[in-house]
Amino acid sequence: MLNNFPLWPDQASTMASRVDALYIFLLLVTGAMALLVFACVAFFAARFRHRPGVRAEQIEGSNALEITWSAIPFLIFMAIFGWGAFVFFQERTPPADAAEVYVVAKQWMWKVEHAEGQREINELHVPVGRDVKLIMTSQDVIHSFYIPAFRIKQDVLPGRYTVEWFRATKPGVYHLFCAEYCGTQHSGMVGSIVVQQPADYEAWMNGASTGPLSASGEKIFAELGCSTCHRSDTQGRGPNLQGVFGKPVQLDDGRTVTADENYLRESILDPGSKRVKGFQPIMPTFQGLVSEEQVNDLVAYIKAISLSKPINGAKTSANRAVSGDSSDTEGQTPPLPSGSKVQ
Amino acid sequence: MQNEAGADGLTAVHEHHGEAHAAHNPALLHHFAAPEQQRDAASLGMWVFLATEIMFFGGLFCAYLVYRRWYFPSFAAASKSMDAGLGATNTAVLICSSLTVVLAVWAAQTARRTLLIGSLILTMIFGLAFLGIKGKEYRDKFEEHHVPGVSFSFENVPVPGHPGEYANPRHAQIFFALYFVMTGIHALHMIVGLGIFAWLLTMSWKGRFSPQWHTPIEIGGLYWHFVDIIWIYLFPLLYLIDRHA
Amino acid sequence: MQPTIPHPMIPQPVFPEAAEQKNYLNEKYGAWSWLMTTDHKRIALLYLLSITFFFFIGGFFALLIRLELLTPAGDLVQADTYNKLFTMHGMVMVFFFLIPSIPAVLGNFLVPMMIGAKDLAFPRINLLSWYLYIIGGALMMHCMLTGGVDTGWTFYTPFSTGFTNTKIVEAGIAIFIAGFSSILTGLNFVVTIHRMRAPGMTWSRLPLFIWAHYATSIIQLLGTPVIAITIVLVAAERALHLGIFDPKLGGDPLLFQHLFWFYSHPAVYIMILPSMGVITEIIACFSRKRIFGYHFVAFSSIAIAVFGFLVWAHHMFVAGISVYSALVFSFLSYAVALPSAIKVFNWTATLYKGSIHYDAPMLYAFGFLGLFTIGGLTGLFLSALGIDVHVTDTYFVVAHFHYIMVGGAVMGYLGGIHFWWPKISGRLYPEGWARLAALIVFIGFNLTFFPQFLLGYMGMPRRYYDYSHMPEFQILNVMSTAGATILGVGYLLPMVYLLWSMRRGKPASENPWNAAGLEWKTASPPPTFNFDEEPVVTWEAYNYDELDAPHKEEVPVAK
Amino acid sequence: MSEHAKSSPLKMYFGIWITLLFLTYLTYRVAAVDLDPFNAAVALTIATVKATLVALFFMHVWHASEKLTKLVIVAALFFLLLLLGLTMTDYATRLWS
Ligand code: HEA
Ligand code: HEA
Ligand code: CUA
Ligand SMILES: [Cu+2]
């Protein structure tokens, strides 16, 4: 598992080389600065060591020097800041068409649900060359989903979703760590990321599956009676949920918010806090009635009916892309997985 | 007490502390050169302490600001359940106590013993009245089950100005949590203030203060006014969110 | 006057000429005269004792941590025990050792003397703050002995408020009380520096040590109250389930982090600024020079204190704050690095054309320069957003802050203790041993913490007690553990020879280093009210040209 | 701080006192009036006026204090604003909630 270069972590995602480039730049710049300082100190200490009869020369200071050694470091700092911010931006902006994986953290394990329905514990299988977006939440305390070989990390919070994404570039098995201290078995909350060639991945995919998340979501949607209010016509007491995901929503208090995953989640668990304009506050809260996994299923379902026109949870956009259905070229569907696109 | 010898010829007999000043001012501590220095130090010390107090309450104001933005409807509903009349009365009580404090300082400056003692007593009475009213409000909240915890209940309370909408009990509970922490800590400061004023009262009774030296009254007064100012903010923030309609 | 009964705790003079001198140490005897003292110098010694105690407690935990990490498997202690170990290590080291260390020991001892005052402005408050420290410390000890805490020193919610059943509230109260002690120390310094300066001691004649302490006090005064109220909220949340930090009840766990770091980031400057002050004095003295760019060094201390309040969320880049906010805080983190850079450059420039002596304090100062620079520069890595995402919560961070806190702040503290030891104790320490100790500390330190940078970039998360899934991390961990034992020896050595020197060391003259500064113009050890007559300052700070003027004899510096 | 040279400041003290009581009454009444977005602003402005009056006249910041006192106050308020303001850079720009 170790690369041929010891003391250096594997580079297995598109982000890894970008972070490493910045890191090496910083090593060089700060190394040069440190060497400069140390060389001056060492040279002065040797050259001006005390000799009997030789007195120190008093120097008050020099504004020109002070300005120089404030301005130059400042410029260097700004370069570092800018570059760091740039990389961060990429880290924080998942491509719109990434495949989605739901992650639920709990003391002390990772539960992973692929949009297609595969469930894993402390493992995550992904194909090479494919953008994957993790939609994560925690059942209890704060955890952090860390894959050193991908150079990505994101805290996983209870009560909301956080998101991170990557595109794996090298098949292999990589460490998954929980990086935020979460209690007794924090150091046991580790697992593996299995990056596979698309063909292997598909073979794995076709193994046992309980059906897509959106399908379970559809079932729950009916069981909990959501569908009594949210109907696909305009007769319901609640808004029609088709096409809501990703769109701006006008709220009763005048604000407009984008219906992202967190919004859907909040609408289910805490409907009162953001009320859609023109509707009565009649939706009951489902806090405590649904598990984190069920919320994920519902969110996946609502997203599915937003993204693809025919509402039959069995065939979601995400599902189609993974199974290699290349006929769908619409903007919202993910690109093809292709082993040859490994960078 | 006395240091006879330094390591070298610098040695000189240290002036025996305080004696020269002791005549006017028994309270001059001997590491100070002059009474003014001592008074200025004390007053600066109190001001700096008040600066730390601002930050102490600042943490609470920060939490308040965050949740008020998030949960405005429930905060408004919860705020409306408060007795603003009592809150306003308490504000007035504190303002009166600030007046008597400032009178006490003035009395000390101008050597008016009766006024000094009277003002201090009045201040304490106002302070106690404030705590009494606060106590009654706490009891009311307790009876209404508005104290956060297992017995908390805030069901079906309408949001002011939004007919048909009800406060979210969980959000209202955060309001009440902040309410109790903020007013509780404020009340704790009042109790400390009462202790300080009880001490000032005994000192005044014994005639310890003079127009030359009454620093404790001044800095005790600063503290009291500060606690008053905190309340001046707590009142609108807690009692007057969206009260109309 | 009390009869002079020899006290076993107090070193008795061995030399007859010293026997006659009255000083703060021998003026009164008996435990009571120490416990009830309002003399800032005696209070400093009380702090010295208690802080040393906590340093060894914290160090003891560190050794256990390192032993556990010697092997990948979690074999020495249980998982919960390990979690308590690093928590108590962090809490003790931060709140009961490093934050009070230099201010409460050297600052207490020197601030009044350096500005020509007889004492701090509020001597009784000063004593009170020691008692608060002791009460807080006792509570912390009690907490540790009856089970301890396992949240990490950062107390993150909702783990601390709802998921652990260890003694959070008790530890919180202990830190609350110690925080109060810290506030009172800062308050005393600010008022003293404003009100008690001797005639002629203008702001630009103040030693830079004073400027550093002034800046430190600002942070103590304005930052500490926020952690205090945060602790109150955590305790209340834990006891009553208010929901302020609990997402299940509508609260936001990140609010806790904001409030916590609003104090705890500036707090790291409480730890480093006084050390910078010490280093400045040492460098000036042992290069026999006025500090290069006095005003820049002075104002950079204030700038660090103020900017220090602007950067706290750089500890939260991956915690879930908004991207915009992360950008702002990353940018501001670079703003706070600038004044530190200015200091490093000015220290270096001070050496230029100096007359440099290699006494032990100066060796510590060199060590500080090197290690602080490395620690600080790695701070730049952490505040670069793109890199922090990878290295946050790994050993990279652990290495970063140990480089600054142990390599920087503790080095400065030890350097300062050596530098002023003649003044404090009236005795000289053995120079050869001291140089050896400085060398051992430097080597041991680097061996301990440099490998952790590599570990961190390789991805080893912090607060892991068991790394059996990643045995590739072992070699570096073994190096680190080996270093820690060397480091431990390096810290024990000064303990031994400094204690030894209290009885056996050569008596120190008034000014053994021929150093500038008012504290050197009175006896060693000083009399109770510091000066026999109120000093009047007519010279500039760091007037080494006058001290070394040729008409005077060359003053022997190295022994 | 104390200025006993001056004539009796009692009138001023009582004047401030009446003003403060009036402002309390005002803030209480104005809260019942619908000023839609401005209710909070008005309430806080009144509170600030009151606090300023107490500080300036009852705490003698206006007449008897040296600059340093003012500096301490301004510094404390500045840091309070930093705490609130920089925290809001996060809360005001989060995409969620
Ligand atoms: C005394 C303690 C101390 C000090 C002084 C500092 C100083 C700095 N720290 Fe550090 N830090 C800690 C103690 C300290 N830190 C601790 C304890 C933690 C972890 C807490 C925890 O999670 O448990 C931490 C964590 C920490 C983090 C969060 C890491 C994470 O958890 O993800 C960050 C991120 O920005 C950071 C940055 C900085 C920066 C930029 C400085 C700057 O102030 C450094 C400035 C100094 C220099 C830059 C060096 C000298 C300059 C030059 C020689 C100039 C020339 C250079 C160039 C031109 C390139 N620190
Ligand atoms: C001032 C601060 C300070 C200091 C001085 C130190 C000193 C040391 N620290 Fe610590 N450290 C922290 C502050 C500090 N640390 C903080 C804040 C954390 C984070 C905690 C958290 O995650 O919550 C941390 C975490 C931390 C970790 C990470 C734990 C983890 O994440 O799992 C490690 C691991 O190596 C470590 C090691 C050390 C070592 C080897 C020393 C050495 O320098 C210590 C050397 C001293 C000695 C070895 C003492 C010598 C004494 C004896 C030999 C006598 C024996 C004792 C008795 C008889 C009682 N520290
Ligand atoms: Cu989960 Cu650490
Ligand atoms: Cu920081």
Side-chain angles (χ1 to χ4, degrees):
Chain A
M1 250 197 50
L2 264 175
N3 255 356
N4 23 12
F5 190 69
L7 302 185
W8 198 273
D10 271 320
Q11 284 188 336
S13 78
T14 49
M15 204 48 71
S17 51
R18 295 180 195 157
V19 173
D20 285 356
L22 174 57
Y23 183 67
I24 290 167
F25 170 73
L26 266 159
L27 281 178
L28 292 176
V29 172
T30 58
M33 276 326 266
L35 271 185
L36 183 73
V37 171
F38 298 163
C40 288
V41 170
F43 175 74
F44 295 160
R47 167 68 185 73
F48 301 112
R49 74 180 175 279
H50 170 71
R51 291 195 192 80
V54 182
R55 288 179 58 202
E57 205 174 293
Q58 302 300 325
I59 308 167
E60 181 58 36
S62 148
N63 287 347
L65 265 179
E66 301 283 353
I67 291 170
T68 318
W69 65 44
S70 308
I72 295 179
F74 184 74
L75 292 179
I76 300 178
F77 290 168
M78 285 306 97
I80 302 173
F81 162 70
W83 191 342
F86 180 69
V87 174
F88 185 68
F89 240 85
Q90 296 172 321
E91 276 163 348
R92 279 298 123 91
T93 328
D97 51 5
E100 291 176 353
V101 174
Y102 288 82
V103 174
V104 178
K106 62 170 277 206
Q107 284 174 327
W108 291 277
M109 61 155 81
W110 299 102
K111 295 186 282 187
V112 176
E113 307 164 315
H114 294 256
E116 299 78 20
Q118 276 75 13
R119 286 162 203 261
E120 307 182 63
I121 287 190
N122 291 341
E123 266 198 0
L124 170 60
H125 284 73
V126 290
V128 132
R130 174 74 183 288
D131 294 331
V132 178
K133 172 175 159 190
L134 306 178
I135 301 168
M136 310 182 289
T137 187
S138 162
Q139 247 167 265
D140 36 49
V141 302
I142 304 179
H143 304 269
S144 191
F145 198 94
Y146 177 33
I147 311 171
F150 294 176
R151 312 286 188 274
I152 57 163
K153 179 186 291 125
Q154 172 62 53
D155 281 8
V156 179
L157 290 111
R160 61 176 269 212
Y161 290 120
T162 51
V163 165
E164 70 182 331
W165 77 279
F166 58 84
R167 178 193 290 207
T169 53
K170 207 173 81 182
V173 180
Y174 304 102
H175 287 309
L176 157 64
F177 294 139
C178 174
E180 183 62 63
Y181 176 68
C182 55
T184 310
Q185 285 303 328
H186 164 59
S187 59
M189 197 164 158
V190 296
S192 332
I193 307 294
V194 183
V195 180
Q196 295 172 310
Q197 293 293 357
D200 302 337
Y201 178 70
E202 239 172 277
W204 177 83
M205 263 312 211
N206 292 332
S209 160
T210 47
L213 292 194
S214 48
S216 335
E218 187 175 25
K219 238 172 67 206
I220 302 169
F221 198 78
E223 279 165 11
L224 291 176
C226 314
S227 43
T228 55
C229 298
H230 296 288
R231 296 168 27 181
S232 49
D233 50 30
T234 44
Q235 309 298 307
R237 290 187 291 165
N240 179 352
L241 295 181
Q242 277 183 53
V244 65
F245 179 74
K247 301 278 156 50
V249 179
Q250 282 267 315
L251 297 186
D252 188 57
D253 58 9
R255 285 180 297 165
T256 305
V257 296
T258 307
D260 58 4
E261 288 94 351
N262 266 314
Y263 170 79
L264 298 182
R265 178 192 170 83
E266 203 184 353
S267 294
I268 299 167
L269 297 179
D270 192 2
S273 58
K274 292 208 179 72
R275 195 155 51 82
V276 185
K277 198 182 172 97
F279 288 90
Q280 292 304 305
I282 47 167
M283 173 163 164
T285 170
F286 288 87
Q287 175 97 21
L289 301 178
V290 285
S291 68
E292 288 297 346
E293 281 89 346
Q294 287 175 317
V295 177
N296 288 345
D297 293 349
L298 284 171
V299 169
Y301 170 67
I302 298 172
K303 285 169 70 174
I305 60 176
S306 296
L307 296 178
S308 54
K309 281 126 281 155
I311 313 164
N312 60 356
K315 197 108 174 107
T316 67
S317 51
N319 192 352
R320 252 170 303 156
V322 168
S323 52
D325 179 358
S326 56
S327 62
D328 194 328
T329 47
E330 280 184 40
Q332 279 158 328
T333 48
L336 304 175
S338 76
S340 54
K341 266 170 74 181
V342 180
Q343 299 138 358
Chain B
M1 286 248 74
Q2 200 37 60
N3 323 294
E4 246 83 39
D8 64 359
L10 271 172
T11 319
V13 177
H14 177 295
E15 180 194 12
H16 244 292
H17 92 277
E19 255 159 37
H21 313 290
H24 332 277
N25 180 6
L28 181 65
L29 297 167
H30 67 186
H31 60 289
F32 288 111
E36 296 74 52
Q37 190 188 27
Q38 179 170 358
R39 195 195 55 214
D40 288 354
S43 137
L44 178 61
M46 180 47 85
W47 277 107
V48 170
F49 177 72
L50 295 185
T52 73
E53 288 275 31
I54 290 184
M55 297 309 289
F56 187 72
F57 282 98
L60 291 173
F61 285 126
C62 187
Y64 172 88
L65 182 62
V66 166
Y67 291 121
R68 179 187 158 130
R69 277 183 75 248
W70 275 8
Y71 301 144
F72 187 79
S74 302
F75 265 49
S79 171
K80 202 157 188 201
S81 81
M82 312 286 288
D83 190 334
L86 286 184
T89 312
N90 247 352
T91 317
V93 168
L94 273 193
I95 286 173
C96 294
S97 76
S98 264
L99 176 72
T100 53
V101 166
V102 89
L103 289 179
V105 174
W106 182 74
Q109 285 169 356
T110 52
R112 289 178 166 82
R113 184 163 188 265
T114 328
L115 179 61
L116 171 59
I117 290 175
S119 310
L120 290 177
I121 292 178
L122 266 181
T123 307
M124 294 183 64
I125 291 177
F126 283 130
L128 287 170
F130 176 91
L131 288 176
I133 296 178
K134 196 83 250 162
K136 170 173 174 6
E137 289 187 80
Y138 277 11
R139 213 194 57 204
D140 291 349
K141 289 285 119 189
F142 193 78
E143 281 168 359
E144 293 163 43
H145 295 284
H146 288 175
V147 182
V150 274
S151 68
F152 181 81
S153 140
F154 204 74
E155 304 302 328
N156 300 324
V157 181
V159 173
H162 295 260
E165 221 173 307
Y166 297 96
N168 180 328
R170 293 185 311 145
H171 302 168
Q173 172 164 302
I174 292 187
F175 174 87
F176 285 109
L178 287 170
Y179 165 78
F180 278 104
V181 175
M182 290 170 116
T183 57
I185 287 179
H186 178 264
L188 212 64
H189 278 78
M190 293 291 298
I191 292 168
V192 171
L194 284 173
I196 294 174
F197 271 69
W199 177 71
L200 290 177
L201 184 61
T202 31
M203 295 277 285
S204 311
W205 194 266
K206 293 187 196 152
R208 290 289 162 79
F209 300 123
S210 66
Q212 285 73 40
W213 186 74
H214 49 271
T215 317
I217 302 223
E218 277 177 5
I219 64 170
L222 288 181
Y223 175 84
W224 191 277
H225 292 306
F226 173 80
V227 177
D228 185 5
I229 288 180
I230 292 291
W231 182 260
I232 285 178
Y233 278 97
L234 289 185
F235 172 56
L237 291 180
L238 296 172
Y239 291 79
L240 303 181
I241 307 177
D242 224 13
R243 264 207 110 75
H244 57 83
Chain C
M1 186 94 28
Q2 296 186 350
T4 39
I5 305 156
H7 186 273
M9 289 290 291
I10 313 296
Q12 287 311 298
V14 186
F15 297 88
E17 73 275 13
E20 273 120 57
Q21 294 177 8
K22 279 282 174 210
N23 59 50
Y24 80 103
L25 288 172
N26 64 10
E27 170 145 333
K28 287 187 192 155
Y29 290 111
W32 196 246
S33 78
W34 281 85
L35 292 177
M36 283 295 119
T37 184
T38 54
D39 180 352
H40 65 104
K41 298 180 289 301
R42 286 191 161 205
I43 296 175
L45 286 197
L46 293 177
Y47 267 117
L48 178 62
L49 268 181
S50 29
I51 277 164
T52 309
F53 172 78
F54 278 106
F55 176 66
F56 280 97
I57 299 278
F60 177 65
F61 292 144
L63 286 184
L64 290 180
I65 293 176
R66 285 312 329 160
L67 276 180
E68 169 60 62
L69 295 177
L70 194 56
T71 56
D75 39 15
L76 179 69
V77 293
Q78 307 250 295
D80 276 328
T81 315
Y82 180 85
N83 295 342
K84 288 176 184 167
L85 280 178
F86 68 70
T87 304
M88 309 318 296
H89 167 69
M91 284 182 185
V92 166
M93 283 300 199
V94 168
F95 296 110
F96 294 93
F97 168 63
L98 201 50
I99 285 183
S101 65
I102 297 185
V105 178
L106 295 173
N108 236 327
F109 196 92
L110 294 164
V111 165
M113 270 199 262
M114 282 184 166
I115 65 173
K118 291 181 189 150
D119 204 323
L120 288 172
F122 309 117
R124 277 174 298 191
I125 290 186
N126 195 20
L127 182 64
L128 173 67
S129 74
W130 181 70
Y131 274 102
L132 287 176
Y133 171 83
I134 287 300
I135 294 170
L139 208 58
M140 197 71 192
M141 289 302 294
H142 177 264
C143 170
M144 292 190 292
L145 292 173
T146 55
V149 179
D150 71 343
T151 57
W153 79 284
T154 46
F155 279 114
Y156 273 16
T157 54
F159 181 68
S160 63
T161 48
F163 288 86
T164 175
N165 52 10
T166 50
K167 306 203 145 191
I168 311 296
V169 174
E170 189 175 344
I173 296 172
I175 290 170
F176 184 97
I177 296 175
F180 223 85
S181 151
S182 174
I183 291 178
L184 293 182
T185 304
L187 189 137
N188 233 328
F189 285 175
V190 165
V191 175
T192 305
I193 295 170
H194 271 288
R195 296 289 193 228
M196 313 279 288
R197 279 170 289 130
M201 182 54 92
T202 59
W203 286 92
S204 54
R205 281 178 180 167
L206 286 176
L208 290 160
F209 181 89
I210 299 292
W211 277 100
H213 274 74
Y214 187 79
T216 309
S217 306
I218 295 177
I219 308 176
Q220 287 175 308
L221 287 168
L222 295 173
T224 321
V226 178
I227 189 93
I229 193 66
T230 311
I231 290 173
V232 171
L233 286 176
V234 166
E237 168 96 45
R238 205 175 149 76
L240 306 167
H241 304 290
L242 304 179
I244 294 180
F245 300 131
D246 184 355
K248 286 220 173 57
L249 298 174
D252 180 19
L254 290 190
L255 178 64
F256 169 83
Q257 297 180 23
H258 278 296
L259 293 175
F260 177 85
W261 290 115
F262 180 84
Y263 165 75
S264 295
H265 179 81
V268 308
Y269 297 112
I270 299 180
M271 308 180 213
I272 200 68
L273 275 168
S275 199
M276 291 169 155
V278 167
I279 294 307
T280 313
E281 300 298 314
I282 294 178
I283 290 184
C285 174
F286 293 96
S287 344
R288 317 299 307 159
K289 274 189 65 182
R290 177 172 167 85
I291 281 289
F292 190 92
Y294 172 95
H295 288 100
F296 286 91
V297 177
F299 284 118
S300 62
S301 291
I302 307 294
I304 289 178
V306 175
F307 289 149
F309 280 95
L310 305 180
V311 307
W312 74 82
H314 67 201
H315 297 269
M316 303 163 62
F317 286 157
V318 303
I321 59 172
S322 80
V323 172
Y324 171 77
S325 189
L327 287 180
V328 170
F329 279 100
S330 168
F331 176 80
L332 291 170
S333 298
Y334 289 101
V336 75
L338 208 57
S340 300
I342 292 177
K343 277 189 194 291
V344 169
F345 293 134
N346 279 296
W347 289 323
T348 311
T350 303
L351 299 174
Y352 179 68
K353 298 216 169 156
S355 170
I356 294 164
H357 299 261
Y358 292 87
D359 300 84
M362 190 63 167
L363 295 189
Y364 281 107
F366 283 137
F368 174 100
L369 263 182
L371 302 180
F372 169 75
T373 302
I374 296 180
L377 290 172
T378 51
L380 301 178
F381 287 61
L382 295 171
S383 39
L385 288 161
I387 291 188
D388 187 64
V389 169
H390 174 48
V391 292
T392 183
D393 275 317
T394 67
Y395 267 83
F396 195 92
V397 176
V398 176
H400 155 69
F401 66 73
H402 282 92
Y403 258 80
I404 297 193
M405 302 208 291
V406 184
V410 178
M411 278 272 189
Y413 174 67
L414 287 175
I417 293 283
H418 283 84
F419 184 54
W420 282 290
W421 188 251
K423 186 54 66 182
I424 295 173
S425 70
R427 304 292 172 141
L428 299 176
Y429 61 81
E431 182 64 34
W433 284 103
R435 292 186 188 183
L436 180 68
L439 197 68
I440 294 179
V441 169
F442 185 80
I443 294 173
F445 175 84
N446 280 296
L447 189 56
T448 313
F449 293 107
F450 193 79
Q452 297 188 356
F453 281 125
L454 305 173
L455 274 177
Y457 200 75
M458 286 166 70
M460 176 159 171
R462 59 192 284 207
R463 298 170 172 174
Y464 264 34
Y465 107 108
D466 170 337
Y467 54 101
S468 36
H469 293 268
M470 39 283 185
E472 67 269 25
F473 293 151
Q474 190 179 7
I475 305 167
L476 290 167
N477 271 300
V478 171
M479 286 167 68
S480 184
T481 303
T485 33
I486 300 179
L487 191 54
V489 173
Y491 285 140
L492 280 175
L493 261 184
M495 276 284 287
V496 177
Y497 64 72
L498 288 180
L499 276 175
W500 174 88
S501 78
M502 282 177 66
R503 275 178 173 282
R504 297 292 146 122
K506 277 196 238 143
S509 68
E510 185 177 293
N511 188 355
W513 310 116
N514 193 21
L518 273 177
E519 79 271 27
W520 300 108
K521 294 194 169 29
T522 185
S524 302
T528 297
F529 288 104
N530 298 344
F531 301 99
D532 294 316
E533 33 185 47
E534 188 179 37
V536 177
V537 182
T538 55
W539 58 89
E540 298 303 313
Y542 308 108
N543 53 339
Y544 282 102
D545 49 343
E546 286 163 44
L547 290 170
D548 290 347
H551 61 83
K552 279 203 185 174
E553 267 178 38
E554 186 82 28
V555 182
V557 175
K559 300 275 135 32
Chain D
M1 282 195 100
S2 53
E3 310 236 314
H4 15 99
K6 274 217 197 121
S7 62
S8 154
L10 285 186
K11 239 169 96 186
M12 185 254 283
Y13 291 154
F14 279 97
I16 301 289
W17 175 61
I18 296 291
T19 316
L20 289 172
L21 287 180
F22 169 72
L23 286 173
T24 304
Y25 178 73
L26 183 69
T27 195
Y28 177 63
R29 293 311 299 267
V30 94
V33 181
D34 190 351
L35 302 172
D36 201 26
F38 296 112
N39 277 79
V42 169
L44 282 178
T45 312
I46 295 180
T48 306
V49 171
K50 286 161 74 182
T52 315
L53 287 177
V54 173
L56 288 184
F57 299 104
F58 283 0
M59 297 168 93
H60 304 287
V61 172
W62 181 267
H63 285 299
S65 288
E66 49 173 336
K67 282 214 188 77
L68 185 57
T69 313
K70 290 165 192 157
L71 183 71
V72 171
I73 299 171
V74 170
L77 294 179
F78 173 71
F79 281 91
L80 176 65
L81 283 184
L82 285 183
L83 169 60
L84 301 181
L86 283 173
T87 307
M88 282 305 138
T89 63
D90 177 16
Y91 285 93
T93 60
R94 280 191 197 167
L95 291 178
W96 53 281
S97 75

